[in-house]
């Protein structure tokens, strides 16, 4: 989809029961973050365009997670290919929304571009949500309309739109059109 307007979206999952289960190919595995993996995280996130370059990603990692190194060991996940190369990552983090309740947060989901479309995102999301369920009752995530394939996956995992502003209403209307599915319950 060329030139899709980028509008921030927030999605919530009211509980962490009945998490869809998808297995990785047998040649791949999920592993936890280890000290020193900051650069690998930055490489993956930069490869998908979340940051202009690896150094910018590394700087953001230090700002957001640097003080939480011990928690990253239990909450950040990587997918490794058959050669032991980390090719995807996400973090089963936490945060709060308007109600100030601490919730689990699916955060920084990324698969290197050359491995996208190989059925790796769903097993990674399953692993992260199962991890969140050990710590939290509910979950949320933030994304944007330009990540419409991910939005569709999140909807299929039981995440629902959180409507907070007119902009997000526009974003969800756009997602209904692009994904050709009723998302907000309104007739389109």
């Amino acid at each position: 989809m060329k030139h899709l307007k980028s509008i921030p979206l927030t999605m919530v999952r009211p509980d962490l029961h009945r998490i869809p289960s998808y297995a990785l190919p047998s040649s791949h595995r999920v592993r936890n973050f280890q000290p020193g993996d900051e650069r690998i995280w930055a490489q993956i996130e930069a490869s998908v365009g979340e940051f202009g370059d690896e150094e910018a990603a590394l700087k953001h990692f230090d700002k957001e997670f640097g003080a939480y190194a011990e928690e990253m060991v239990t909450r950040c996940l990587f997918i490794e290919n058959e050669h032991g190369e980390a090719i995807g990552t996400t973090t089963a983090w936490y945060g709060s929304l308007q109600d100030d309740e601490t919730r689990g947060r699916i955060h920084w989901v990324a698969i290197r571009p050359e491995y996208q479309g190989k059925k790796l995102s769903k097993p990674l999301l399953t692993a992260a949500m199962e991890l969140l369920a050990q710590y939290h009752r509910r979950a949320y995530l933030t994304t944007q309309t330009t990540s419409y394939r991910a939005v569709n996956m999140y909807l299929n995992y039981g995440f629902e739109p959180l409507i907070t502003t007119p902009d997000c209403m526009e974003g969800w209307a756009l997602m209904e059109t692009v994904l050709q599915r009723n998302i907000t319950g309104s007739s389109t």
Side-chain angles (χ1 to χ4, degrees), residues 5 16-17 20 28 55 68 75 79 98 103 115 124 135 161 170:
K5 183 176 181 181
L16 288 166
H17 305 297
H28 293 63
E55 290 308 312
Y68 304 99
R75 289 183 172 263
I79 291 179
Q98 306 131 321
R103 300 173 189 234
Y115 289 93
L124 181 60
Y135 300 100
E170 177 187 359

Side-chain angles (χ1 to χ4, degrees), residues 37-51 53-55 57-58 78 85-87 89 110-113:
D37 282 343
E38 299 86 349
R39 187 154 300 275
I40 295 170
W41 182 93
Q43 290 167 352
I44 294 169
E45 293 295 341
S47 78
V48 298
E50 288 292 339
F51 299 94
D53 59 31
E54 187 181 320
E55 290 308 312
L58 196 55
F78 289 97
E85 174 192 9
I87 57 173
T89 186
I111 303 288
R112 289 185 188 272

Side-chain angles (χ1 to χ4, degrees), residues 70-188:
E70 287 181 28
E71 286 184 80
M72 288 299 284
V73 170
T74 56
R75 289 183 172 263
C76 183
L77 303 173
F78 289 97
I79 291 179
E80 288 185 341
N81 65 14
E82 64 274 13
H83 306 293
E85 174 192 9
I87 57 173
T89 186
T90 193
T91 304
W93 205 237
Y94 53 90
S96 59
L97 298 170
Q98 306 131 321
D99 59 11
D100 290 332
E101 172 193 353
T102 299
R103 300 173 189 234
R105 180 179 186 184
I106 298 296
H107 202 28
W108 295 108
V109 180
I111 303 288
R112 289 185 188 272
E114 62 270 28
Y115 289 93
Q116 292 176 7
K118 299 186 184 300
K119 302 191 182 299
L120 301 172
S121 295
K122 289 178 184 176
L124 181 60
L125 184 57
T126 293
M129 289 184 66
E130 288 172 349
L131 185 55
L132 281 183
Q134 295 176 30
Y135 300 100
H136 307 281
R137 294 183 308 113
R138 301 191 294 173
Y140 79 102
L141 59 86
T142 58
T143 188
Q144 58 280 330
T145 52
T146 52
S147 298
Y148 60 91
R149 286 185 185 97
V151 169
N152 198 49
M153 178 179 66
Y154 300 143
L155 290 165
N156 291 339
Y157 266 77
F159 283 90
E160 303 166 354
L162 178 64
I163 310 286
T164 56
T165 67
D167 278 353
C168 65
M169 282 295 294
E170 177 187 359
W172 288 111
L174 181 59
M175 290 297 87
E176 286 184 338
T177 300
V178 169
L179 298 174
Q180 299 182 344
R181 66 188 280 184
N182 188 329
I183 298 169
T184 62
S186 62
S187 57
T188 54

Side-chain angles (χ1 to χ4, degrees), residues 2-76:
K2 289 186 177 182
H3 310 295
L4 192 63
K5 183 176 181 181
S6 182
I7 302 170
L9 302 172
T10 300
M11 302 179 76
V12 294
R13 195 166 195 276
D15 64 51
L16 288 166
H17 305 297
R18 298 171 305 285
I19 297 167
S21 181
Y22 292 90
L24 275 171
S26 60
S27 57
H28 293 63
R29 73 179 186 113
V30 172
R31 71 162 175 90
N32 287 73
F33 179 94
Q34 296 299 318
D37 282 343
E38 299 86 349
R39 187 154 300 275
I40 295 170
W41 182 93
Q43 290 167 352
I44 294 169
E45 293 295 341
S47 78
V48 298
E50 288 292 339
F51 299 94
D53 59 31
E54 187 181 320
E55 290 308 312
L58 196 55
K59 189 177 284 189
H60 183 88
F61 181 95
D62 289 340
K63 179 181 164 193
E64 186 167 5
F65 299 119
Y68 304 99
E70 287 181 28
E71 286 184 80
M72 288 299 284
V73 170
T74 56
R75 289 183 172 263
C76 183

